[in-house]
């Protein structure tokens, strides 16, 4: 992703893990600027991967990252606060969350649910209210892929 300041958010390869029979790779989210170059955003404390999905004009980056519980949690990263875990919508052992979009007010949208792809819901996150399940049209899945600059 690219913001108006010319900063770039993305995901970069860190290293191979695993074996030929069970291959694996670790990636980390990054932010790049002309002044600072590429900066590794790390993970939420898990020994694994982070993925940047979007960035706003304040340089805040969102996506998902390995957490100490072994699951992928949505995150928001800022230069001042670093990476913040946004949690999950439920407590199933195979739950995940990922942030997909962010506006300049720092509000974001994404999806959270179960890794079996059978049940996940769109969410909206704000600093004041945390994760808010947006529900579905009666089915089992929904995903929020964008968020307006207009706050409510």
């Amino acid at each position: 992703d690219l913001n108006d300041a010319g900063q770039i958010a993305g995901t970069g390869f860190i290293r191979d893990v695993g074996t030929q029979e069970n291959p694996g790779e670790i990636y980390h989210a990054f932010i790049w600027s002309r002044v600072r170059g590429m900066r590794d955003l790390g993970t939420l404390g898990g020994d694994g991967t982070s993925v940047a999905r979007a960035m706003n004009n304040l340089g805040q980056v969102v996506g998902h990252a390995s957490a100490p519980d072994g699951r992928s949690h949505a995150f928001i990263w800022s230069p001042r606060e670093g990476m913040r875990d946004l949690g999950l919508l439920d407590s199933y052992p195979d739950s995940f969350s990922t942030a997909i979009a962010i506006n300049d007010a720092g509000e974001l949208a994404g999806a959270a649910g179960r890794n079996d792809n059978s049940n996940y819901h769109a969410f909206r996150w704000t600093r004041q209210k945390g994760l808010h399940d947006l529900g579905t049209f009666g089915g089992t899945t929904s995903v929020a892929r964008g968020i307006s600059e207009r706050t409510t």
Side-chain angles (χ1 to χ4, degrees), residues 34-85:
R34 193 173 302 251
V35 173
R36 294 199 62 175
M38 187 178 286
R39 182 175 180 181
D40 184 346
L41 303 186
T43 69
L44 291 165
D47 183 25
T49 292
S50 60
V51 175
R53 305 287 302 260
M55 177 176 51
N56 66 14
N57 287 315
L58 302 175
Q60 294 173 307
V61 177
V62 297
H64 60 270
S66 299
D69 65 8
R71 299 180 283 185
S72 287
H73 291 211
F75 73 81
I76 182 170
W77 178 93
S78 70
R80 193 177 68 206
E81 297 178 10
M83 191 177 283
R84 177 178 177 175
D85 188 340

Side-chain angles (χ1 to χ4, degrees), residues 13-131:
F13 175 77
I14 299 293
R15 67 181 179 276
D16 282 316
V17 295
T19 64
Q20 186 173 356
E21 296 80 29
N22 189 17
E25 297 173 333
I26 293 179
Y27 294 86
H28 279 190
F30 70 82
I31 187 169
W32 178 91
S33 70
R34 193 173 302 251
V35 173
R36 294 199 62 175
M38 187 178 286
R39 182 175 180 181
D40 184 346
L41 303 186
T43 69
L44 291 165
D47 183 25
T49 292
S50 60
V51 175
R53 305 287 302 260
M55 177 176 51
N56 66 14
N57 287 315
L58 302 175
Q60 294 173 307
V61 177
V62 297
H64 60 270
S66 299
D69 65 8
R71 299 180 283 185
S72 287
H73 291 211
F75 73 81
I76 182 170
W77 178 93
S78 70
R80 193 177 68 206
E81 297 178 10
M83 191 177 283
R84 177 178 177 175
D85 188 340
L86 303 181
L88 304 165
L89 286 177
D90 59 45
S91 60
Y92 292 107
D94 63 342
S95 294
F96 77 94
S97 62
T98 184
I100 298 171
I102 184 169
N103 65 22
D104 288 342
E107 300 169 334
L108 54 96
R114 312 239 348 240
N115 278 324
D116 64 3
N117 290 324
S118 69
N119 186 2
Y120 50 92
H121 289 195
F123 70 77
R124 178 176 183 238
W125 180 90
T126 65
R127 187 174 290 273
Q128 295 78 22
K129 296 183 181 178
L131 285 179

